[in-house]
Structure formats: structure tokens, C-alpha cells
Amino acid sequence: MQHLIDICDLSVAEIDRLIEKSNDIIKHRENYSEKCKGKKLAALFFEPSTRTRLSFEAAMLELGGSVIGFSEANSSSAAKGESVSDTIRTVGCYADIIAMRHPKEGAPLVASMKSSVPIINAGDGGHNHPTQTLADLLTIKREKGRLNDLTVGFCGDLKFGRTVHSLITALSRQNNIRLILISPQELKIPEYMKQEVIERFGMPYEETDSLEKAIPNLDVLYMTRVQRERFFKEADYIRLKDSYILNLSKLAHAKADLSILHPLPRVNEISVEVDDDPRACYFKQVLNGKYIRMALILKLLGVE
Amino acid sequence: MNIDSIKNGIVIDHIKAGKSMELYHYLNLENLNCSVAIIKNVVSKKMGRKDIIKIDEDIHLNLDVLGYVDPDTTVNIIKDGVRIEKRHPELPMQLVNVIKCKNPRCITTTEQEIAQIFKLTDRKNRVYRCIYCESKAKTSKE
């Protein structure tokens, strides 16, 4: 039985196969509408989420399966003090697969140690969010036609942004990826990410605090939100939240085939005027997220 | 200063000077009923100064703890007053229930009876990370 807790739980070849499967689902959706008939996904969301929970639920429903679960800890036994281990052992009696979001880092790993059914990490605090990374990779592959030989810019909160860390880790296994890390001093990428991933795998990178300077060189621009919930002090959040805003005047200096990604939700870091630019890919990314979650559910359930 | 020699027990030698109390706590030696001697700042040809711990009983010693706190120590097993074995702890690949994760966001802070497990992720810099949240282990001095 396989779980997905960290993006590195999947080999590069497995990710390639998930991307192929997603592309096939996009082309032949009718072939997949009953693949999971009779199967149940438990969506256990111990903290609120709109996109990820609905994406998992839509993915399972489009595969012909059904969905059970809860969307906040208050409506689960966690509110009574039940441990993650006990919740998982219980839910495993009802469901064939579990997608789980939890505010505590490492909770899905604990779940996978006790579970009788596959566990998918749907986000654990500021730690991992591997299915977002799969959505990002599918989007890059579909937009650029490749996952190698790219200059990828990451902009905004590179310190707390779990999606940034996961995507950089996934890209570190591809060939010839150049990184441009664009952030204010306070939100720079952590040293351990530099030492244990970027430098360890020999990825060329530069750090800058200027989105304007970096933008002409980029093939992919990954924008991020400065997340209120990751700050201990509200004042720090307010000071930094508007640091980097992408608008049409900055975009005028970018390549014609740039792909702009964002894990969403956005606050104001991408102006609404950018939404109609053909380079904006972030709503396609949402859709791709559903397709690759469908491919992942099939894989973990062992359905061909 | 005279410390009685051991008949049956363990001598942990070549402890980095000043580290013996840390080792004493990590090895839970305070729970033993036998005599335990901590000798600090002993003159050493090899190390300048060193600490030594003598335990007057042949207990099960967690070598992983020694490897983590001070991998340069030597463990001498004494039987009938004679050293019968000499062991050199290695940097362990994994630490189970030796140190606790100090990240307040880690699941180990709320989940009961969960094993505290750390993995060696950087041998050169002796970096251990919590397997759950990947936070770096902090030494007792940090």
C-alpha cells in the first residue's frame, strides 16, 4: 500500500506517469466516469480549505466514487480530544482512501503509520502539500511541454511557503532548472532549503529582491501569497503583505511565453488585470489540480 | 583524587570535557541504584582534558545516545576487574525517544504516545531532523 505524504514519496518516473494519466483523463473524461464506482474517499479536513477539499471531492465524484468526511476539526472527534491515530483507524473502517489536511506538521505521516488504507497529505501546516506540487508540475508540463531546461522564478513568501519548498524539491530532480528567488529579506528561502536541496543538487540559483529585474529572464513565474496564518505577529504580516505585486506594467518586460502560476488563494499579489493575459495560468492550475488528483486516486487505489 | 576501580560494569572514557553531565542525563543514569562516578576535567594526553563516567553495574547502554551526544567516546566493558570489550559508538542513522522535537507546530506536541524519531540528514554537520515535521534537532545547549 502506497501513501503520498511528501512529494519525494513519488519517483520522477511515477510523477511522469501521473502526468500522462492526467493528460489522458483530460482527453477522454468519459472513460474514467465509473472507474471508482463503489469506492469512498474520506476527506478529513482538520483545518478549513476551499480549493483542496473541493478538488479532492470533485476528483472522486468524477471517477464515479463517493465522498465522506468533515471540513473542520470542530465537527469531528478531534474536538473531543481524539488522537489522529484513533481517528484514522476509525475512518479506515469506512473509506477506501483518505485525503487529510491537518494544522500540525507531520500529522499525515502519523496517520500513514496507523492506516489500513492509503493516505494522501492534503496539507500539514506549513510543511508539505504534495498534491499542489503535482498540480504545479502538470501545469508546467502542459504549458511548456517539458519539466527540464527552464528558468523558474519564485516570488513572495519563500520562507514559509510550503508550496515553494515542495516545488523546488520536485524540480531539483529535473535537468537544467535555473532558479531565481525573488523575495524581501525577511521572507528569503530558508538556509536548509539552500543547503540540503538547491546546492546539494547543484541547481544554479540567484536571489534578488526585485521582481522587475528578474522577470525578463523567466520561463515560469511562481507567485505566492504572504500568508497571514504563518506569522506570529500581525504587524509583520501587514508590513510585508504588499511587497511584490504583479501587474501589467511589470509583465510588459516578460517573455511572450512566460507561464504565471500561483497556488491560490491570492490576496492582491497578482492584479486582477493580469487574469485576462494569456500568460496567466493559475486558474488552469486549479483545474489541473483536480485532474492530477484523479490520477493519484486511481494510482493509490490500484485502479487501471 | 581516588575513585574505586570497577569490578563489573562500564567505563565511558574520552568524553569531551564538560559533556559528562549531558550524557548522564541522556543515558538516564540518575535512575540507577548502583554507584556512578562522574569524573570531570581529567588530564588526557590525547584530548588535553576529558570527562569519564564509571558505572558499577553492567547495564544496557544506549550507544545511539552516545553516538549522538559525543561520538568520540570509548565504552569499556569491565568483567571481574578486566576490560573484556572496547566499543566506539557511531553517529546513529536514527534516534528513537532520545530527544524531543521542539517545533510547537509538530504533531508530536499533541499526539499521545508517539515515538520521537529523528533521522540523520547531514552526516558532515551532524544534523538530525524530526521525521514528522523535518525540524532540525536542537542540542541542549541551543
Side-chain angles (χ1 to χ4, degrees):
Chain A
M1 184 174 59
Q2 191 179 7
H3 308 283
L4 178 61
I5 307 302
D6 183 308
I7 192 64
C8 292
D9 293 342
L10 294 169
S11 67
V12 173
E14 283 178 307
I15 290 174
D16 287 346
R17 282 196 292 275
L18 283 174
I19 289 173
E20 275 171 35
K21 179 64 90 178
S22 308
N23 283 329
D24 194 61
I25 293 170
I26 293 167
K27 265 192 213 153
H28 308 288
R29 284 178 60 182
E30 65 286 357
N31 293 351
Y32 291 88
S33 62
E34 295 202 338
K35 287 278 186 191
C36 287
K37 200 174 175 184
K39 304 273 188 194
K40 286 192 290 285
L41 166 87
L44 308 186
F45 280 67
F46 293 83
E47 72 174 359
S49 150
T50 314
R51 215 167 324 278
T52 308
R53 182 171 59 84
L54 294 182
S55 181
F56 270 108
E57 293 187 4
M60 192 54 165
L61 294 173
E62 287 195 31
L63 290 168
S66 43
V67 180
I68 56 174
F70 51 82
S71 55
E72 53 174 329
N74 286 342
S75 56
S76 78
S77 287
K80 298 176 196 162
E82 186 176 52
S83 67
V84 168
S85 306
D86 284 1
T87 303
I88 290 299
R89 274 188 279 221
T90 306
V91 174
C93 300
Y94 310 137
D96 301 286
I97 187 165
I98 295 171
M100 172 183 173
R101 169 166 290 191
H102 198 284
K104 288 287 183 184
E105 298 172 9
L109 179 63
V110 171
S112 71
M113 290 167 162
K114 304 289 181 185
S115 182
S116 55
V117 299
I119 300 284
I120 302 172
N121 180 2
D124 57 337
H127 186 217
N128 278 322
H129 192 1
T131 59
Q132 178 64 51
T133 307
L134 289 175
D136 301 340
L137 292 169
L138 175 61
T139 305
I140 295 172
K141 183 69 188 256
R142 286 180 65 80
E143 296 301 318
K144 313 307 292 184
R146 62 189 191 279
L147 285 176
N148 51 20
D149 193 24
L150 292 165
T151 300
V152 184
F154 288 87
C155 179
D157 176 4
L158 310 189
K159 184 177 180 186
F160 297 105
R162 62 184 172 191
T163 57
V164 170
H165 302 170
S166 287
L167 183 55
I168 290 175
T169 304
L171 290 173
S172 72
R173 301 192 287 177
Q174 302 290 337
N175 293 326
N176 206 14
I177 298 289
R178 301 163 295 277
L179 300 177
I180 303 185
L181 306 170
I182 310 150
S183 71
Q185 191 64 28
E186 292 90 336
L187 295 176
K188 277 173 72 171
I189 199 135
E191 277 305 309
Y192 76 87
M193 272 300 296
K194 278 201 242 171
Q195 288 169 9
E196 294 179 24
V197 181
I198 298 172
E199 289 167 2
R200 184 172 163 200
F201 292 97
M203 301 175 91
Y205 74 98
E206 58 183 272
E207 292 182 282
T208 174
D209 57 7
S210 170
L211 175 57
E212 276 164 320
K213 273 190 211 158
I215 207 165
N217 301 314
L218 302 177
D219 299 310
V220 175
L221 171 58
Y222 196 93
M223 295 293 296
T224 62
R225 176 169 63 103
V226 176
Q227 298 183 70
R228 185 190 292 263
E229 61 265 34
R230 305 288 170 230
F231 284 85
F232 286 115
K233 288 184 195 161
E234 181 76 4
D236 287 343
Y237 166 73
I238 291 167
R239 187 168 50 84
L240 291 167
K241 75 182 171 69
D242 294 338
S243 296
Y244 296 90
I245 296 175
L246 180 66
N247 52 26
L248 285 179
S249 74
K250 286 197 188 83
L251 206 49
H253 305 286
K255 289 181 184 174
D257 65 346
L258 172 72
S259 298
I260 306 161
L261 277 70
H262 191 302
L264 303 182
R266 76 173 148 185
V267 183
N268 59 354
E269 59 279 3
I270 301 178
S271 299
V272 177
E273 63 186 13
V274 176
D275 294 357
D276 294 328
D277 190 287
R279 291 168 285 190
C281 300
Y282 29 93
F283 289 110
K284 288 188 215 168
Q285 201 178 342
V286 176
L287 191 57
N288 289 335
K290 182 188 68 178
Y291 291 125
I292 205 147
R293 287 182 180 102
M294 289 170 76
L296 179 68
I297 291 169
L298 291 172
K299 176 181 166 56
L300 297 185
L301 286 176
V303 178
E304 282 304 309
Chain B
M1 187 172 69
N2 288 323
I3 306 247
D4 290 346
S5 58
I6 288 174
K7 198 162 184 208
N8 291 300
I10 295 168
V11 176
I12 308 171
D13 198 0
H14 302 121
I15 303 168
K16 198 172 165 188
K19 281 264 184 185
S20 53
M21 282 311 291
E22 200 179 335
L23 262 183
Y24 180 85
H25 291 304
Y26 272 116
L27 291 168
N28 298 315
L29 299 183
E30 63 267 37
N31 296 332
L32 296 178
N33 291 322
C34 64
S35 309
V36 177
I38 297 172
I39 313 162
K40 297 178 77 170
N41 292 321
V42 180
V43 176
S44 158
K45 278 183 194 164
K46 200 166 110 184
M47 302 171 69
R49 294 271 174 185
K50 66 177 181 179
D51 290 359
I52 299 171
I53 296 177
K54 292 187 173 188
I55 305 163
D56 199 11
E57 198 175 293
D58 188 9
I59 59 161
H60 170 73
L61 203 61
N62 187 340
L63 287 180
D64 285 352
V65 171
L66 281 172
Y68 170 67
V69 178
D70 189 352
D72 299 324
T73 54
T74 309
V75 178
N76 299 295
I77 312 292
I78 313 293
K79 197 170 182 189
D80 298 327
V82 179
R83 185 175 73 195
I84 57 160
E85 199 182 340
K86 193 175 179 179
R87 292 183 198 157
H88 294 283
E90 287 178 6
L91 212 55
M93 291 303 293
Q94 190 167 277
L95 290 167
V96 180
N97 292 330
V98 175
I99 44 175
K100 282 188 175 174
C101 185
K102 293 183 177 164
N103 171 12
R105 296 178 173 124
C106 181
I107 185 67
T108 54
T109 59
T110 52
E111 190 80 356
Q112 285 179 26
E113 294 175 24
I114 189 176
Q116 295 269 352
I117 307 174
F118 283 76
K119 271 191 175 168
L120 181 64
T121 57
D122 181 349
R123 180 170 285 276
K124 192 177 143 202
N125 297 307
R126 293 184 186 176
V127 175
Y128 285 86
R129 289 191 182 277
C130 170
I131 66 157
Y132 304 102
C133 69
E134 296 180 86
S135 291
K136 195 172 160 182
K138 289 189 169 74
T139 65
S140 55
K141 296 278 167 64
E142 279 183 81

